[in-house]
Amino acid sequence: MQKKILKFKLNGELMELLVSPSDTLVDVVRDKLGLTGTKKGCGKGECGACTVIMNGQSVNSCIVPAMQAMDAEVETIEGIGTSDKMHPLQETFIDYGAIQCGFCTPGMIMSAKALLDGNLSPSRLQIKETIAGNICRCTGYVKIEQAVLAAADKLKASKDK
Amino acid sequence: MDVITPQNLQEALEELAKDPCAGVLAGGTDLLVKWKSNTINPPRVFTILGLQELNFIREEEGRLCIGPLVTHQDLAESAVVQRHAPLLAKACAQVGSLQIRNRGTIGGNLVTASPAGDTIPALVVLNASVVLQSAQGERQVPLREFITGPGKTVLQPGELLTAVSFPCMEATEVGFYRKLGQRQAMAISIVNLALKATLENAVIKDISIACGSVGPTVVELKRTANRLKGHSLDTSELRNIVVNAGDETNPISDIRASEEYRRQMVGELLYEGLQSLRRQSAG
């Protein structure tokens, strides 16, 4: 199959690379661009481990054909914070013990970030609906919910400053 | 699988006329899953997701017209849909997860024609029809006639579903939608049910009832609807009228639920729906 040029913005940086038309976004991000923070779980849009933010919305990158990311803005877990300067969600996930094995965490955080980007005062129900497509088999969802609420408070506080 | 990106609707229709067996890719929430599991393997697919001409919600002469590329999340959040067809907004909010609703489109949900499709019963009680367009022309088909079996529609090779429309709900009409699944997200419906009724002082003047996941295509409960007409929502008879509503359906037993359970739940969801209509008419 003839390869095609894909151009898109990944974590604010313009990317231009050759992909196979049948590649999915998760494969491009992980295997071609080496950003392995995004996890690949079920590979069929069921588990949410591969969640990234595309044009402001959370999507399952395992069922997004790479060619549909043309000219899009994509954010992955690598783009939102570093170990020196973490995103408030990354801090609160640690503070609240909202992580155990960590496999669902990048997807969970990206879903939560997509919510908080548009709403700094989410209700518990909104948080639950937001992460309903992200499966966690370790912690249960209570701590994750608490961490998202706490991150919202942090973000609000820093915005009000 | 090659992915080709037409630049506009005209180009998409011309390409499709030349290669009628090519797949059509919108949000990919069905096509990609089927492709990955080797259920389908089209050599070429046309991705139409970027075609803005097919992404609209418009009110036209008392009808709500929706482009096939509007996502379930956009429909669930649309103020226009919430005002003119709240049961459709409700149905769209029940689809998959947020990630799936952000990608999956209403046109895709109809063309996929799953017996468990969540938007289909809602659109059937709304009397929806779809526009099918090809390079040669276009035709309008009532949704009831569009889907003919599990995964089967009257869509011909070279045709694209380019709009779905239905009359806006009247002030005298009330609606209800309920999906029963094993959990609230990422669940395929065990039974889903939509209702639309015209009420006059809590008396049912007219009612349509449609359920999904209880037959090869959406089942309309016409006999039960006829029996309900003329009754007040306050009557104690309601329960007796709807208890055997499931007899009109033809469900199967599968991994999600047994045939008997599904039949029984049809009556239960219908009863719940009538109670909801009663509350809506009261307040």
Side-chain angles (χ1 to χ4, degrees):
Chain A
M1 186 70 55
Q2 179 121 36
K3 297 216 166 190
K4 293 192 171 177
I5 295 174
L6 170 67
K7 285 187 212 174
F8 71 114
K9 245 188 198 169
L10 180 60
N11 299 324
E13 206 181 317
L14 197 64
M15 298 285 162
E16 192 171 335
L17 70 162
L18 278 174
V19 301
S20 165
S22 58
D23 282 344
T24 53
L25 183 58
V26 70
D27 295 326
V28 169
V29 166
R30 285 180 56 88
D31 302 341
K32 298 227 159 53
L33 298 168
L35 297 186
T36 53
T38 302
K39 302 303 179 214
K40 196 171 172 180
C42 67
K44 52 182 185 182
E46 293 268 356
C47 77
C50 67
T51 302
V52 301
I53 300 178
M54 186 163 144
N55 297 333
Q57 293 184 319
S58 59
V59 300
N60 293 313
S61 61
C62 73
I63 51 170
V64 174
M67 294 313 292
Q68 285 191 339
M70 186 70 87
D71 301 324
E73 292 202 19
V74 177
E75 269 181 281
T76 68
I77 189 76
E78 288 89 350
I80 72 165
T82 61
S83 29
D84 301 331
K85 196 172 182 303
M86 285 189 283
H87 187 276
L89 276 164
Q90 293 170 312
E91 291 172 346
T92 56
F93 265 59
I94 295 170
D95 294 345
Y96 283 79
I99 305 174
Q100 275 187 39
C101 86
F103 198 82
C104 74
T105 311
M108 202 64 90
I109 288 183
M110 295 317 283
S111 279
K113 180 171 185 290
L115 171 70
L116 298 186
D117 281 349
N119 178 6
L120 287 180
S121 308
S123 65
R124 277 179 184 268
L125 181 66
Q126 282 172 319
I127 295 172
K128 283 182 185 168
E129 283 174 351
T130 295
I131 60 169
N134 292 84
I135 293 180
C136 168
R137 297 292 81 157
C138 310
T139 72
Y141 294 82
V142 175
K143 291 174 175 182
I144 294 171
E145 223 180 279
Q146 288 168 343
V148 177
L149 278 173
D153 287 342
K154 269 191 170 185
L155 283 160
K156 235 183 334 198
S158 67
K159 204 176 156 195
D160 292 343
K161 259 182 209 162
Chain B
M1 182 172 79
D2 196 7
V3 179
I4 294 144
T5 312
Q7 296 307 306
N8 54 53
L9 177 58
Q10 191 57 36
E11 192 185 320
L13 292 173
E14 283 165 15
E15 288 288 328
L16 211 52
K18 279 188 253 169
D19 187 1
C21 295
V24 175
L25 173 66
T29 53
D30 274 301
L31 195 146
L32 262 282
V33 175
K34 285 179 188 151
W35 174 70
K36 284 184 157 200
S37 63
N38 292 319
T39 313
I40 55 165
N41 192 10
R44 275 150 60 91
V45 298
F46 297 114
T47 164
I48 58 167
L49 195 59
L51 301 182
Q52 285 311 307
E53 302 145 274
L54 299 181
N55 193 347
F56 57 84
I57 302 176
R58 285 197 288 262
E59 211 187 311
E60 275 170 12
E61 295 165 6
R63 289 180 79 83
L64 203 58
C65 303
I66 300 170
L69 297 183
V70 181
T71 64
H72 293 102
Q73 188 64 16
D74 284 343
L75 287 168
E77 288 177 356
S78 157
V80 181
V81 178
Q82 283 169 9
R83 187 164 66 245
H84 294 302
L87 73 154
L88 178 62
K90 186 94 188 285
C92 290
Q94 306 283 306
V95 172
S97 62
L98 180 57
Q99 291 96 316
I100 296 293
R101 291 193 296 276
N102 280 339
R103 296 283 298 173
T105 64
I106 184 143
N109 199 239
L110 297 180
V111 171
T112 297
S114 161
D118 287 323
T119 63
I120 304 169
L123 287 167
V124 163
V125 299
L126 287 165
N127 276 322
S129 54
V130 291
V131 176
L132 309 179
Q133 211 174 329
S134 71
Q136 280 78 46
E138 65 171 60
R139 58 185 178 133
Q140 193 156 352
V141 179
L143 182 61
R144 288 180 175 91
E145 292 164 28
F146 176 67
I147 299 173
T148 54
K152 291 202 176 74
T153 68
V154 299
L155 196 73
Q156 294 299 306
E159 273 185 329
L160 208 56
L161 192 159
T162 53
V164 46
S165 74
F166 50 82
C168 296
M169 280 174 67
E170 310 269 347
T172 50
E173 289 178 325
V174 281
F176 171 83
Y177 179 88
R178 174 88 147 85
K179 165 178 176 172
L180 181 68
Q182 286 181 327
R183 59 179 283 238
Q184 285 191 3
M186 290 312 296
I188 297 175
S189 285
I190 291 171
V191 179
N192 52 33
L193 181 139
L195 278 185
K196 193 187 70 169
T198 307
L199 301 180
E200 212 180 276
N201 300 323
V203 173
I204 301 169
K205 290 287 158 190
D206 197 10
I207 184 164
S208 6
I209 313 160
C211 359
S213 242
V214 287
T217 61
V218 162
V219 178
E220 291 193 75
L221 306 184
K222 292 186 177 160
R223 206 168 63 215
T224 307
N226 273 330
R227 290 184 63 196
L228 282 167
K229 275 177 211 167
H231 281 279
S232 164
L233 287 168
D234 295 323
T235 172
S236 53
E237 291 293 299
L238 279 190
R239 179 110 216 155
N240 287 335
I241 298 174
V242 304
V243 71
N244 291 321
D247 290 351
E248 284 191 73
T249 67
N250 189 20
I252 55 165
S253 295
D254 65 9
I255 187 169
R256 291 186 291 284
S258 68
E259 181 191 327
E260 295 76 16
Y261 180 76
R262 284 188 156 103
R263 259 189 236 281
Q264 201 176 333
M265 285 307 111
V266 168
E268 294 300 326
L269 294 191
L270 179 53
Y271 188 67
E272 189 186 319
L274 295 172
Q275 298 304 310
S276 162
L277 299 190
R278 183 163 163 253
R279 283 192 301 275
Q280 291 178 52
S281 73

